Amino acid sequence: MSRDIELKNRWDKVVEILSNQFADGDLLDLDAIIYLIGVQELGQFKRVFAKDEKVNLMHIGICRLLEPYGFYEFNFTDKEGWPHYKIKEELPPLKAGEQSILMKEAIVNYFIEKEVIE
């Protein structure tokens, strides 16, 4: 099976699992999944987040997803429990499609690591 087909199949599986669990079957998009990963990494599940906190959760999700690629490194957790990352290497300029593929690959790898999918 080609790498692209395998990524698509795994991505579809992640979307299906998360959509069923968090959106009553409505398909979640890339941003929603990044947000959920940010919430997972923060670990504060039973609270309502302000708008600026939601942006920060997206940032946490992106940093965590791109950490294995060497772009970010976990730095510390603040007194409120929020993880902070530092930039190790600037992301190369990517076209929108390339950026989407990178994030989908990172998300799939995250859920393989968490043993949600194979």
Side-chain angles (χ1 to χ4, degrees), residues 4-118:
D4 292 343
I5 293 171
E6 184 176 38
L7 175 61
K8 182 190 180 321
N9 290 340
R10 286 176 167 169
W11 171 253
D12 290 345
K13 186 67 177 169
V14 167
V15 171
E16 177 187 349
I17 290 167
L18 296 177
S19 296
N20 288 335
Q21 187 170 356
F22 296 104
D24 296 325
D26 292 338
L27 293 183
L28 294 174
D29 65 9
L30 184 65
D31 289 341
I33 293 171
I34 292 170
Y35 171 80
L36 288 174
I37 291 169
V39 172
Q40 172 70 29
E41 291 299 310
L42 178 62
Q44 298 178 14
F45 307 109
K46 301 210 183 247
R47 61 173 283 214
V48 176
F49 295 101
K51 185 176 181 177
D52 63 323
E53 290 177 317
K54 290 178 181 177
V55 171
N56 291 336
L57 288 165
M58 295 280 296
H59 179 69
I60 290 168
I62 290 167
C63 291
R64 172 57 181 85
L65 289 167
L66 296 180
E67 183 180 26
Y69 293 84
F71 295 111
Y72 293 94
E73 178 178 67
F74 176 76
N75 196 13
F76 68 96
T77 301
D78 66 23
K79 64 182 191 270
E80 286 87 32
W82 289 74
H84 292 262
Y85 291 81
K86 63 182 177 181
I87 296 173
K88 283 183 64 179
E89 182 181 326
E90 292 290 330
L91 278 166
L94 298 171
K95 297 176 186 165
E98 295 169 330
Q99 195 174 41
S100 176
I101 290 169
L102 173 63
M103 293 309 297
K104 287 178 180 180
E105 181 180 274
I107 289 167
V108 164
N109 289 336
Y110 177 86
F111 285 104
I112 290 171
E113 176 188 316
K114 298 291 183 187
E115 298 181 349
V116 173
I117 64 167
E118 295 181 7

